[in-house]
Amino acid sequence: MPPPADIVKVAIEWPGAYPKLMEIDQKKPLSAIIKEVCDGWSLANHEYFALQHADSSNFYITEKNRNEIKNGTILRLTTSPAQNAQQLHERIQSSSMDAKLEALKDLASLSRDVTFAQEFINLDGVSLLTQMVESGTERYQKLQKIMKPCFGDMLSFTLTAFVELMDHGIVSWDTFSVAFIKKIASFVNKSGMDISILQRSLAILESMVLNSHDLYQKVAQEITIGQLIPHLQGTDQEIQTYTIAVINALFLKAPDERRQEMANILAQKQLRSIILTHVIRAQRAINNEMAHQLYVLQVLTFNLLEDRMMTKMDPQDQAQRDIIFELRRIAFDAESEPSNSSGSMEKRKSMYTRDYKKLGFINHVNPAMDFTQTPPGMLALDNMLYFAKHHQDAYIRIVLENSSREDKHECPFGRSSIELTKMLCEILKVGELPSETCNDFHPMFFTHDRSFEEFFCICIQLLNKTWKEMRATSEDFNKVMQVVKEQVMRALTTKPSSLDQFKCKLQNLSYTEILKIRQSERMNQEDFQSRPILELKEKIQPEILELIKQQRLNRLVEGTCFRKLNCRRRQDKFWYCRLSPNHKVLHYGDLEESPQGEVPHDSLQDKLPVADIKAVVTGKDCPHMKEKGALKQNKEVLELAFSILYDSNCQLNFIAPDKHEYCIWTDGLNALLGKDMMSELTRNDLDTLLSMEIKLRLLDLENIQIPDAPPPIPKEPSNYDFVYDCN
């Protein structure tokens, strides 16, 4: 007979005593269980004791998290969080340097636990730490030369404890003084600072900027881009990551009118080329966190284009009209203007109209009207002028080449540029806030100061080339744009390292090649609609679904590393989850770093029997997505969130690293529960595998027309007076 569900068998340790095996009744109050344990070891004052996990986390057991205790868990009897907090509060103020150092080391470790953190914060512990940072460093300034390692460790543990305590979101960031901000900024501005101190100082500055408008202004006064640049020129990727994170935070929180000014400073300090040299082209792999920060910087840089993208052209603005005149002048090298007589005026208007028609504007009389649609607004005109000035030969060739064709076969440069700019803004998601989970940065955009304009110049030449290859007419304009979008998207997915490499990728993606790719994909996804094929599909579909189910379960057995996301500060904190080979238990646990390869079961401390799972929920239905916070409102995070509900009010919350892993896990969990696999990935896999299986089975029937209906049964013969001779 299985033990009751509320009884958990655990081992409990106490220093200097043999571990005790006991059964915990989850229905009993935690205080009663602790009293029972203390009585067993003859310990008085049980209210001064608590239970905590004996693994590396050392997290306290509370009424809220006690349901996470599983059979076989090893616990430790220790001093209560309140007692521990009180003792550490006193110890970190010790006059002994060694005692203070040891206390700060313990505090940095224990502060990860929200139960302890709450008790320490209640003692005004955060204020004490800030005072130690502000004044304590000066106190030991004289000792720094002779006790540098000790000083560095002490400050490092102090800042670590501060970061961990603030990460719980209990204390508001708005409470910190200017003196504290100046001190943290001084650690960043000072050269030769200890790596761990620098890292934590950068993390604190990033959190200050992201979580408080007032602190943003104060940090912006203390930290300049010029002071951050040297940290990017080092070799420590973690320091580089935190440095770019601070730059991104300052960029993101800057008022609209300040962002362009900040972008100009970044350009003056050659941030792009420094990142390209010391980060992207450094002789080491870029980790996920660095890739994310580069993606954020890329998005924020392109978002500077939003203002021009959403600005309509004013047909009465002479400065804006002059840009159109300049486009015409460069293309046709107009001679001196005719005299101002009435006849000449009419002649000039006629000539302008003719030239604007050759330039491919929709409104030949007043082309300014073409730029009143937003998006792309004035951004399209900016791109056209950049192309005309910086790639003049290509610009003139395209305009003159098309003006010499028949009207219906010309590729309208003006209209094409406007639509292309709009399309490129959609591809690069100009104007959208960066995602919390995306790592999709493109190295080629860090190779040029005017990368978007250069991107446009390459694509407008591609559009003209594709137009000729398709022998398109004006009626085919939308079809050409669809092909160009496919060419650009396919080239971008290869992540070219430079704009020249991007151009080469596009050269290989001619219209003919796109047709081949489309035909191949169409053949692979061809949907045979005849009745015999549909019947065959119906027959083999269960086999295919079983194959997909086994693949999903095998992937769950391999396991996946999930990132712990934090709305206050991104950190490299991970946990791993995998299914046991017998498909009966989910093993999971925290990891110190992202794993290289498979994580063994025995290193994952926590278990969840599949039989205990009540349901799997996704998106907004997940408990961790119902909480308030900026992160929880992010659409992309919502699309990657899912939760396992088990027991009463217990859940295991996930945020998948990408859409593919999300589909794998939701499919696999639904398969374990005997439910249908409903993900988009399953639909695609089913279509692909069904198509392949049908084609394999029909190989022998090649070039044979399969009738829609089975052949009729012939009439019975008039007599049966015949013999079939086998010889």
Side-chain angles (χ1 to χ4, degrees), residues 47-50 52 58 60 78-94 102-104 106-126 128-129 132 161 165 170:
E47 62 272 12
Y48 293 154
F49 291 91
Q52 66 178 183
N58 292 329
Y60 280 98
T78 186
T79 50
S80 68
Q83 284 288 107
N84 220 342
Q86 183 65 51
Q87 290 169 10
L88 277 173
H89 193 271
E90 294 168 3
R91 285 170 57 202
I92 61 175
Q93 299 179 73
S94 169
E102 197 61 34
L104 287 168
D106 292 343
L107 179 62
S109 174
L110 285 167
S111 295
R112 291 180 299 154
D113 184 1
V114 66
T115 310
F116 170 83
Q118 183 68 69
E119 296 291 346
F120 190 77
I121 288 168
N122 289 344
L123 297 172
D124 212 12
V126 172
L128 177 59
L129 291 178
M132 289 172 65
L165 290 168
I170 300 168

Side-chain angles (χ1 to χ4, degrees), residues 245-417:
V246 172
I247 293 171
N248 286 339
L250 290 168
F251 215 144
L252 187 64
K253 292 298 178 180
D256 292 342
E257 64 275 8
R258 277 270 302 144
R259 283 186 189 169
Q260 190 58 57
E261 181 186 334
M262 189 173 171
N264 294 337
I265 294 170
L266 294 178
Q268 288 172 10
K269 299 295 181 182
Q270 298 183 320
L271 176 72
R272 178 198 59 76
S273 60
I274 288 170
I275 289 175
L276 182 67
T277 305
H278 296 278
V279 178
I280 296 174
R281 291 182 178 170
Q283 299 300 312
R284 61 175 180 271
I286 292 176
N287 62 34
N288 287 338
E289 182 61 22
M290 175 60 86
H292 172 75
Q293 295 300 342
L294 291 173
Y295 151 78
V296 172
L297 182 59
Q298 173 185 293
V299 170
L300 294 176
T301 304
F302 284 144
N303 280 358
L304 292 170
L305 304 169
E306 184 183 12
D307 184 49
R308 294 294 282 173
M309 181 181 79
M310 300 308 293
T311 300
K312 294 182 180 181
M313 185 170 185
D314 180 2
Q316 307 305 317
D317 189 318
Q318 188 57 43
Q320 295 179 0
R321 290 166 62 88
D322 286 345
I323 298 175
I324 298 177
F325 293 150
E326 182 67 6
L327 288 172
R328 176 190 164 278
R329 185 196 66 75
I330 294 172
F332 304 112
D333 196 21
E335 296 176 359
S336 58
E337 300 293 339
S339 62
N340 245 346
S341 65
S342 59
S344 297
M345 184 66 73
E346 289 300 318
K347 185 178 177 183
R348 185 167 60 179
K349 283 184 179 179
S350 172
M351 181 178 68
Y352 279 9
T353 301
R354 185 192 70 230
D355 289 348
Y356 291 146
K357 185 174 183 295
K358 289 179 180 179
L359 279 170
F361 290 113
I362 296 172
N363 192 319
H364 307 153
V365 178
N366 185 7
M369 299 303 295
D370 287 13
F371 300 96
T372 55
Q373 178 194 358
T374 58
M378 287 295 292
L379 184 59
L381 188 59
D382 294 342
N383 284 339
M384 292 167 72
L385 183 63
Y386 181 90
F387 181 51
K389 286 189 169 183
H390 293 83
H391 299 270
Q392 197 170 106
D393 291 344
Y395 167 69
I396 293 171
R397 187 184 70 251
I398 286 175
V399 173
L400 296 184
E401 196 177 80
N402 285 292
S403 62
S404 62
R405 291 180 188 158
E406 295 178 44
D407 281 355
K408 66 175 185 176
H409 282 289
E410 67 179 4
C411 176
F413 174 73
R415 183 185 175 191
S416 299
S417 298

Side-chain angles (χ1 to χ4, degrees), residues 435 437-438 562 565 618-619 622 624-625 634-643 654-663 666:
S435 160
T437 56
C438 186
F562 297 93
L565 284 180
T618 60
C622 297
H624 59 314
M625 291 294 110
N634 190 300
K635 183 184 174 186
E636 290 194 35
V637 173
L638 274 175
E639 291 175 352
L640 298 175
F642 62 99
S643 296
F654 298 77
I655 294 178
D658 52 50
K659 193 67 178 176
H660 182 268
E661 287 295 324
Y662 170 84
C663 293
T666 51

Side-chain angles (χ1 to χ4, degrees), residues 473-657:
T473 62
S474 53
E475 289 82 13
D476 300 320
F477 185 85
N478 290 334
K479 291 180 183 176
V480 175
M481 292 304 298
Q482 287 172 4
V483 173
V484 170
K485 184 173 185 178
E486 187 172 345
Q487 289 170 313
V488 172
M489 293 290 283
R490 287 185 183 277
L492 283 177
T493 54
T494 64
K495 293 291 180 73
S497 59
S498 66
L499 290 164
D500 287 338
Q501 199 177 91
F502 175 68
K503 200 184 296 184
C504 291
K505 298 282 184 186
L506 291 176
Q507 290 292 334
N508 297 329
L509 284 169
S510 62
Y511 176 58
T512 308
E513 187 62 28
I514 291 292
L515 283 180
K516 287 180 183 175
I517 294 170
R518 284 181 174 180
Q519 186 177 4
S520 173
E521 289 177 350
R522 193 159 45 242
M523 287 175 65
N524 290 336
Q525 298 171 3
E526 193 172 16
D527 189 18
F528 300 103
Q529 294 299 325
S530 65
R531 187 175 151 195
I533 301 299
L534 290 175
E535 287 179 2
L536 180 59
K537 268 189 174 184
E538 219 171 286
K539 182 181 177 183
I540 64 177
Q541 183 164 315
E543 300 173 29
I544 302 297
L545 282 171
E546 183 61 29
L547 184 67
I548 294 171
K549 174 184 171 182
Q550 291 305 318
Q551 187 271 340
R552 300 294 192 263
L553 293 176
N554 289 339
R555 279 289 291 106
L556 264 61
V557 170
E558 290 175 20
T560 301
C561 179
F562 297 93
R563 182 188 292 276
K564 286 189 172 183
L565 284 180
N566 188 309
C567 64
R568 293 173 295 281
R569 181 171 62 87
R570 285 180 61 93
Q571 299 181 83
D572 276 336
K573 290 188 177 179
F574 304 94
W575 69 288
Y576 200 87
C577 188
R578 61 180 297 185
L579 181 66
S580 62
N582 63 6
H583 300 174
K584 291 186 177 180
V585 179
L586 282 172
H587 297 264
Y588 62 96
D590 291 344
L591 298 175
E592 292 299 322
E593 56 185 4
S594 182
Q596 302 298 320
E598 200 172 283
V599 176
H601 288 102
D602 53 12
S603 66
L604 303 174
Q605 301 293 326
D606 300 306
K607 298 177 184 178
L608 171 60
V610 172
D612 290 352
I613 298 176
K614 306 297 183 191
V616 176
V617 293
T618 60
K620 291 182 179 178
D621 295 328
C622 297
H624 59 314
M625 291 294 110
K626 292 178 180 177
E627 301 168 19
K628 292 182 179 179
L631 172 67
K632 308 302 184 288
Q633 307 305 319
N634 190 300
K635 183 184 174 186
E636 290 194 35
V637 173
L638 274 175
E639 291 175 352
L640 298 175
F642 62 99
S643 296
I644 295 173
L645 307 183
Y646 64 96
D647 291 345
S648 55
N649 299 322
C650 293
Q651 67 269 339
L652 195 58
N653 298 321
F654 298 77
I655 294 178

Side-chain angles (χ1 to χ4, degrees), residues 38-49:
C38 289
D39 290 345
W41 275 312
S42 302
L43 298 172
N45 301 322
H46 71 274
E47 62 272 12
Y48 293 154
F49 291 91

